[in-house]
């Protein structure tokens, strides 16, 4: 009996082979278990979208403010390109976004370790600023030659994570002196910042510390003493710290024709609800720092108060989104670290916008992701990367009956497993 003829498989054509290689339908799918795919599905993509929106707004705002700063810094021998600071900001974004994405890919344990190491590094650099720092406009805040960095900007996010780590020890051993350690760390940083002088950054660090000790579940007595100490510190700063005295007096009594906050408020409101149009602002040329401290006012003049409200809503949406991610979080360190990072981001935004609205004295503080700045942008990307890493969540963990059964075994044992899964320190 003759056997059936064997099928001959025609060789795959080069075109089909090339198309098959380009077929990426399986990439980043739910069945893809690569590191990139796992990161993509665990990442809070809504939060990342809000951050990218702020970055886009920042590029537009810096492009609007750049001509004013370029004109102010030009002289008879050198004329700066009107869009110089826009081009520089674009470079900082190109450098900062990869940093943010790389840090967001780290597991929680590694993200925590990175923050602690960087906190030690930038605290050391902050100690060196009074000795070898560079002065700009009367403030010694930068360090380096040629390419300078501002250690306090990088210290903000990693300080929040490190402080959360220290305060989380209380959940393991209530007898540990975590409050004293946190006060020493915060106080040391505050003294170094006041020497620069940098009152705005000092307020941010103290604000992060205060919010985190509230979360640490401390007694009402300690919290009351902290509030009294903060108010007393402001009073002492007014009487014995010339920078605070000058700024508070200017805010309360007005500073005449050189009142920066008054300039910012006039610029902010001069555009009405819809603004004068891109590039049509004139009041911005009177601002001393149109591209950094007072960029919110530039947005108001050229794009209107409605655009300013939109910026505020984006920041509010970021804070609300992070709080939603924490609703079912059980790990103490993660809750405190994420809260600290959000306090830094939201607090800095609120202070900057309040200064432009003439509600706060001038603080010399940038608007996150919108104001121009190299150290500020890279540091914000680092902090956002830590925030994204700590809020990563397996979207199918709570839906898996196997996972639920495993977490509920033997009472305390199941609770211990769940704690490790949520990123608890071992």
């Amino acid at each position: 009996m003759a056997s059936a003829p064997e099928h001959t498989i025609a060789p795959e054509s080069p075109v089909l082979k090339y198309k098959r290689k380009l077929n990426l339908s399986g990439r980043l799918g739910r069945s893809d278990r690569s590191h990139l795919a796992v990161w993509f599905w665990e990442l809070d993509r809504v939060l990342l979208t809000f951050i990218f929106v702020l970055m886009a707004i920042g590029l537009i705002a810096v492009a609007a403010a750049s001509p004013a700063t370029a004109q102010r810094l030009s002289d008879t021998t050198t004329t700066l390109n009107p869009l110089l600071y826009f081009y520089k900001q674009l470079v900082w974004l190109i450098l900062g976004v990869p940093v943010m994405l790389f840090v967001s890919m780290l597991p929680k344990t590694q993200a925590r370790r990175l923050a602690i190491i960087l906190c030690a590094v930038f605290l050391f650099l902050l100690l060196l600023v009074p000795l070898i720092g560079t002065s700009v406009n009367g403030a010694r805040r930068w360090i380096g030659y040629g390419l300078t960095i501002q250690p306090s900007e990088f210290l903000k996010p990693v300080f929040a994570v490190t402080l959360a780590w220290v305060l989380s020890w209380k959940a393991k051993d209530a007898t540990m002196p975590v409050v004293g350690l946190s006060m020493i760390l915060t106080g040391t940083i505050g003294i170094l910042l006041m020497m620069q002088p940098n009152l705005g950054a000092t307020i941010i660090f103290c604000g992060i510390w205060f919010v985190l000790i509230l979360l640490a579940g401390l007694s009402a007595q300690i919290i009351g003493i902290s509030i009294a100490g903060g108010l007393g510190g402001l009073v002492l700063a007014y009487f014995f710290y010339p920078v605070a005295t000058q700024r508070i007096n200017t805010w309360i009594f007005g500073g005449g024709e050189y009142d920066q906050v008054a300039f910012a408020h006039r610029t902010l409101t001069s555009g009405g609800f819809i603004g004068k149009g891109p590039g049509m602002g004139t009041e911005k040329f009177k601002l001393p720092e149109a591209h950094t401290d007072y960029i919110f006012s530039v947005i108001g003049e050229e794009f209107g108060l409605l655009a300013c409200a939109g910026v505020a809503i984006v920041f509010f949406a970021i804070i609300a989104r992070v709080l939603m991610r924490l609703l079912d979080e059980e790990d103490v360190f993660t809750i405190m670290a994420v809260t600290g990072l959000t306090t830094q981001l939201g607090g800095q935004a609120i202070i900057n916008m309040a200064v432009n609205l003439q509600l706060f004295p001038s603080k010399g503080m940038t608007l996150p992701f919108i104001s121009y700045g190299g150290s500020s942008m890279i540091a914000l990307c680092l902090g956002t990367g830590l925030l994204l890493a700590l809020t990563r969540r397996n979207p199918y963990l709570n839906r898996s009956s196997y996972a639920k059964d495993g977490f509920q075994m033997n009472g305390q044992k199941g609770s211990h497993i769940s704690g490790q899964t949520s990123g608890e320190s071992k």
Side-chain angles (χ1 to χ4, degrees), residues 10 72 93 156 163 193 243 359:
R72 182 174 62 87
L93 270 178
K156 288 176 187 175
L163 188 63
L193 291 173
V243 174
L359 299 177

Side-chain angles (χ1 to χ4, degrees), residues 382-396:
L382 170 64
T384 305
L386 291 170
L387 183 62
L388 291 169
L390 295 172
T391 54
R392 279 170 53 188
R393 193 79 48 82
N394 185 338
Y396 301 103

